[in-house]
Amino acid sequence: MTATPPTEHNLRLYIETVGCQMNMLDSELVVGALGKQGYTLTDDAKQADTILLNTCSVREHAEHKIYSQLGRLKHIHRQRPNVVVGVMGCMAQKDQKQIFRRAPHVDLVVGTGQLAEIPRLIEEARHDRKRKLAVSLGRRDGSVQAVSTSFQSYDPLREPQMRPSPWQAFVRIMIGCDKFCTYCVVPTTRGPEQSRPPSDIAREIEVLTDQGVREVTLLGQTVNSYKHTEGGRLFRLADLLELIHDSPGIDRIKFVTNYPRDMGDDLLTAMRDLPKIAHYLHVPLQSGCDDVLKAMKRGYTVAQYREMMHRIRDCMPDCAVSSDFIVGHPGETEEAFERSMDAVREFRFKNNFVFKYSPRPGTKAHELLPDDVSEQDKRRRNNAMLDLSNEICEEDNAEFIGRNVEVLVEGLSKATIKSADPKPPGSAPADSPTGPLQLVGRTRCDRIVVFDGNPRLAGNLAQITIDDATATTLIGRIVTRELQHESPGLLPILG
Ligand code: SAH
Ligand code: SF4
Ligand code: F3S
């Protein structure tokens, strides 16, 4: 018996996303585009007509996960001959045809610069059953102009129902990266740094706020390197923040990820003076040892990073700063690792993302530097740094006990969601919730706060008194509340 070919009206899409916020946004946009073609989402790959894996190449482990998932999907064509399996995103751009070789049942390989083509490619593949490869040029495969053009930013206007949260949205302000840190694959997978025009960004935010969005997070691999000339005027990130700050309906604006060398005083002053900008900077140090920073080609020394931290804290004493660290980078001795531990002690990051060095083919570090720290040492350093970071975060969070903070309420906390097994994101709130539930929100300095309250507070600012704290969370209760916006639905995704 042959399966009935799917029609435009009963198509089911299964999508899995790994990687950073850029990938989360890309998936949201692709789901939106396919939704317009009549697709509905399913969380069961076996039921799907189209299976998409949105991939990350930043560490080997992320790629392994995708190849093992592809292995599990091997028999899918035998059971459902019309199914289309697609690999999109960073690994698609990096591995290209190799993916067909390692996983012959894959129909589509679509890089980060071709996402707009996905709906058409899926339809073509379903009809002609031929493999489709759509990727951008390699960084050395053409002029800067040609390579840049081959990476198209994908920013269609969005359908509100496709967002995981009704009042929070990511907005891409730039694509690519030109920093070429020696360990990093992103300049290859995302292409040259290109900033979007400020007027396009402002228009997108206007549409989002009309749809009820209260918080936007601006995205870029090095978001504070943003620059675009429009109407004869050069816009840097500070100017863009000023431009969008007064968009009606917006309560909070965040931006990630920052690059230490591009942390200008204009940006810090804008953050200080514009009340809706979060006092939060994710600005990865990566290592506390100058020799390692040099091998990484990060372009700054620890002393220069320290000078930047002083400028941040002089300008905004309450500003939280978080970091990424790589442990076990080639050449990282015990001594060098101890310098990173010293930096964690000195800078007291709000949180710290610690990664074990993973050699990435195609990067300078992989070509030139031996992976000379054992897996055992990497694991030990990773755990030691996480333990130290936790200790520091717990101490710093304890400082909040007894204080009042303003939080932007995000919705039900993870604990509530687990115990209540609520409806999917975006579904309507219960008509009469039975008493207060545990909610989650974030302070202006991006600290997570849980407290009991009515789920209808989601999307609003609330004043909370902090009673207790852990390394990751402040625990409090509502003191007053200002309900400015009627909540369109539950927000059961964050915590
Ligand atoms: N654009 C951001 C981060 C991009 S990747 C920035 O420049 O900060 C996210 C994090 O992954 C990096 O900050 C780095 O800590 C880590 N990372 C990148 N390449 C890695 C590799 N080869 N091995 C281990 N961690 C890596
Ligand atoms: Fe990678 Fe460095 Fe660019 Fe960040 S700045 S994306 S770590 S190359
Ligand atoms: Fe991964 Fe690509 Fe993001 S490599 S971290 S998904 S930019």
Side-chain angles (χ1 to χ4, degrees):
M1 197 181 77
T2 50
T4 326
T7 70
E8 290 232 322
H9 304 290
N10 65 358
L11 294 161
R12 278 151 300 176
L13 168 68
Y14 174 84
I15 185 163
E16 256 181 51
T17 306
V18 293
C20 62
Q21 291 103 323
M22 276 290 178
N23 264 17
M24 289 164 70
L25 174 57
D26 288 339
S27 289
E28 180 192 323
L29 297 173
V30 166
V31 169
L34 292 172
K36 282 194 181 148
Q37 312 256 309
Y39 279 85
T40 51
L41 279 176
T42 169
D43 53 12
D44 182 2
K46 290 197 211 78
Q47 299 292 321
D49 305 294
T50 299
I51 296 174
L52 291 177
L53 303 183
N54 193 4
T55 58
C56 172
S57 290
V58 81
R59 283 168 289 277
E60 195 181 10
H61 177 67
E63 292 189 341
H64 271 164
K65 277 206 320 217
I66 294 295
Y67 280 115
S68 357
Q69 175 64 330
L70 284 173
R72 283 190 290 275
L73 294 171
K74 205 157 64 194
H75 306 295
I76 205 104
H77 275 130
R78 219 174 298 149
Q79 288 148 3
R80 297 175 63 82
N82 281 306
V83 80
V84 172
V85 178
V87 174
M88 58 184 267
C90 289
M91 197 180 91
Q93 177 60 36
K94 175 174 155 285
D95 287 359
Q96 308 195 356
K97 279 190 194 140
Q98 266 185 62
I99 297 176
F100 294 131
R101 245 172 271 140
R102 285 180 70 172
H105 53 294
V106 168
D107 302 288
L108 301 181
V109 170
V110 184
T112 55
Q114 287 70 31
L115 300 181
E117 296 174 36
I118 284 186
R120 176 178 60 77
L121 293 172
I122 292 174
E123 283 323 299
E124 286 177 12
R126 203 181 318 278
H127 290 113
D128 65 16
R129 298 308 325 175
K130 289 195 182 126
R131 286 175 175 162
K132 314 283 170 205
L133 174 73
V135 289
S136 303
L137 294 175
R139 295 284 310 237
R140 289 187 211 128
D141 294 344
S143 66
V144 174
Q145 186 56 42
V147 177
S148 298
T149 312
S150 76
F151 280 90
Q152 286 292 323
S153 189
Y154 180 50
D155 302 289
L157 292 181
R158 281 178 259 177
E159 303 292 311
Q161 64 274 24
M162 297 307 170
R163 251 194 322 279
S165 148
W167 32 81
Q168 293 170 301
F170 292 129
V171 175
R172 193 183 338 259
I173 67 165
M174 58 194 294
I175 59 169
C177 180
D178 285 343
K179 305 298 189 274
F180 287 100
C181 304
T182 52
Y183 53 80
C184 184
V185 83
V186 173
T188 308
T189 61
R190 293 272 169 183
E193 211 169 281
Q194 301 183 69
S195 296
R196 288 180 68 203
S199 56
D200 284 6
I201 297 165
R203 207 169 312 125
E204 186 173 349
I205 291 177
E206 207 179 297
V207 172
L208 289 168
T209 51
D210 282 349
Q211 295 172 355
V213 166
R214 305 286 160 222
E215 177 187 277
V216 291
T217 302
L218 310 179
L219 297 185
Q221 290 303 337
T222 55
V223 72
N224 57 338
S225 314
Y226 176 88
K227 56 173 189 290
H228 194 104
T229 302
E230 192 170 60
R233 177 178 168 202
L234 173 67
F235 284 78
R236 299 185 42 87
L237 181 57
D239 309 299
L240 181 68
L241 290 174
E242 211 168 291
L243 177 78
I244 63 175
H245 184 265
D246 295 326
S247 309
I250 286 285
D251 284 328
R252 197 167 282 165
I253 301 168
K254 303 188 205 179
F255 50 91
V256 285
T257 295
N258 293 278
Y259 184 62
R261 242 174 46 182
D262 290 336
M263 191 63 73
D265 284 337
D266 59 337
L267 176 58
L268 300 180
T269 315
M271 289 174 73
R272 183 195 61 198
D273 296 342
L274 300 170
K276 294 177 185 174
I277 314 291
H279 278 188
Y280 166 59
L281 287 164
H282 182 62
V283 48
L285 171 59
Q286 309 293 5
S287 168
C289 166
D290 283 341
D291 292 342
V292 175
L293 285 174
K294 197 163 173 204
M296 290 175 164
K297 279 212 161 58
R298 283 290 284 178
Y300 53 83
T301 60
V302 179
Q304 285 166 328
Y305 189 91
R306 179 177 298 117
E307 183 271 335
M308 174 203 75
M309 284 295 260
H310 287 155
R311 282 190 294 119
I312 295 172
R313 291 194 166 143
D314 285 348
C315 190
M316 291 169 287
D318 66 337
C319 187
V321 177
S322 62
S323 178
D324 296 349
F325 277 88
I326 295 177
V327 293
H329 187 273
E332 187 190 67
T333 58
E334 277 309 317
E335 170 71 24
F337 170 66
E338 281 309 321
R339 298 292 75 77
S340 288
M341 294 289 270
D342 289 344
V344 172
R345 282 183 204 100
E346 177 180 353
F347 299 126
R348 303 190 75 86
F349 299 107
K350 175 183 77 87
N351 48 3
N352 230 344
F353 301 89
V354 186
F355 304 106
K356 292 181 287 178
Y357 171 71
S358 165
R360 306 286 49 224
T363 62
K364 276 272 176 291
H366 179 257
E367 247 169 63
L368 302 174
L369 306 170
D371 182 15
D372 57 3
V373 179
S374 71
E375 179 56 30
Q376 200 186 355
D377 283 342
K378 285 180 187 169
R379 199 175 318 131
R380 176 175 48 77
R381 292 176 193 176
N382 186 82
N383 292 341
M385 187 173 278
L386 285 176
D387 286 347
L388 174 64
S389 300
N390 269 342
E391 237 172 76
I392 290 171
C393 295
E394 204 168 327
E395 283 170 17
D396 286 357
N397 279 352
E399 297 283 316
F400 282 80
I401 296 173
R403 278 164 54 181
N404 279 0
V405 293
E406 183 179 72
V407 304
L408 182 60
V409 185
E410 293 183 348
L412 298 178
S413 73
K414 266 188 190 155
T416 315
I417 293 162
K418 265 200 200 132
S419 63
D421 188 29
K423 295 178 208 164
S427 55
D431 281 341
S432 48
T434 52
L437 296 167
Q438 191 182 61
L439 306 181
V440 64
R442 279 181 197 253
T443 64
R444 188 176 181 196
C445 60
D446 205 53
R447 287 189 158 81
I448 297 169
V449 183
V450 296
F451 53 95
D452 285 348
N454 186 319
R456 283 179 193 282
L457 272 177
N460 287 272
L461 296 168
Q463 303 297 322
I464 308 290
T465 302
I466 303 303
D467 296 322
D468 205 353
T470 69
T472 54
T473 312
L474 305 179
I475 301 130
R477 67 199 136 86
I478 294 179
V479 278
T480 59
R481 54 177 140 154
E482 305 157 29
L483 193 67
Q484 308 106 340
H485 313 295
E486 187 51 29
S487 142
L490 286 183
L491 180 67
I493 58 152
L494 291 154

